[in-house]
Amino acid sequence: MSKKKKKDRAEEEAQAPPPEADVSQEAETPATENGNDWREKYLRSLAELDNFRKRMERDRDLSRRFALEDLVRALLPVLDHLELACASEGDAESIREGVALALKEALRALGERGVEPIEATDQPFDPHLHEAMAGVPDAEHEPGTCLVELCRGYALHGRVLRPSKVHVAVKPPSTPADAPGSKD
């Protein structure tokens, strides 16, 4: 090769960018675009997650506000029966029948939704189901038996809403004549 050719070739190589520089520039361009693409996807996902959270919160609030709608609709006939009983000019028996009808309707509506009365009378006292209001000495019943139900308790799907308020049988106190070692 002549000096001139070498010189021309050296000038061409100096003017042309080195091949390594081309590769690095090409590699940076997709990486930068790819990085922006990932960032955009990340921000979009954050926005979607925030919108989902807000939508769930709004739905939860609506559910809370209208959760009792079904129960209230079922109890409206009870209110109607009670209003009729109050407006009645009939005798006490007809008013009692109207109130009994309202009670039956209320118990039916609550029963359809899982509310059940807690049985107490003549049942063994259970502190989870019953609230003892007084102990009554009674020789006829075993101690710890619920004798009188003062206020009925209710459970919702097995969970106690309100315990039954009861009088509980206790062993009657022994009289001095019955005590051992007493003189007749």
Side-chain angles (χ1 to χ4, degrees):
M1 264 194 191
S2 70
K3 286 185 177 184
K4 191 174 185 182
K5 283 185 182 181
K6 285 183 183 179
K7 188 176 178 184
D8 288 338
R9 189 170 187 185
E11 286 177 8
E12 285 177 14
E13 287 177 5
Q15 289 177 355
E20 299 154 1
D22 286 343
V23 171
S24 64
Q25 285 177 356
E26 288 174 11
E28 283 181 21
T29 304
T32 306
E33 288 175 6
N34 195 16
N36 286 339
D37 187 41
W38 282 107
R39 185 174 191 278
E40 184 179 315
K41 286 181 181 178
Y42 170 74
L43 292 175
R44 187 169 286 155
S45 296
L46 281 178
E48 287 177 16
L49 184 63
D50 189 46
N51 289 339
F52 176 75
R53 184 188 54 79
K54 288 176 183 175
R55 188 172 47 250
M56 297 285 34
E57 188 174 313
R58 187 173 49 248
D59 290 348
R60 187 174 49 240
D61 288 343
L62 284 174
S63 293
R64 277 189 212 135
R65 288 177 71 186
F66 297 106
L68 298 177
E69 180 180 5
D70 182 48
L71 177 62
V72 170
R73 285 184 194 274
L75 291 178
L76 289 177
V78 175
L79 293 176
D80 295 339
H81 294 310
L82 290 172
E83 286 175 350
L84 288 172
C86 289
S88 174
E89 294 181 13
D91 60 0
E93 184 61 28
S94 65
I95 293 174
R96 190 192 69 72
E97 287 176 12
V99 172
L101 181 62
L103 176 63
K104 182 179 176 183
E105 186 72 22
L107 290 174
R108 183 196 59 75
L110 292 172
E112 288 176 355
R113 284 148 188 87
V115 176
E116 298 173 355
I118 296 172
E119 295 298 322
T121 305
D122 294 328
Q123 299 293 319
F125 178 78
D126 181 350
H128 296 96
L129 302 175
H130 308 120
E131 182 179 346
M133 301 307 290
V136 177
D138 190 327
E140 294 178 21
H141 292 88
E142 187 175 320
T145 301
C146 297
L147 296 176
V148 178
E149 182 178 61
L150 303 171
C151 185
R152 181 170 286 173
Y154 292 92
L156 175 63
H157 300 292
R159 179 186 282 178
V160 176
L161 294 173
R162 178 179 75 190
S164 296
K165 295 180 181 183
V166 296
H167 284 171
V168 181
V170 295
K171 184 177 177 182
S174 57
T175 59
D178 295 339
S182 63
K183 295 181 183 177
D184 286 341

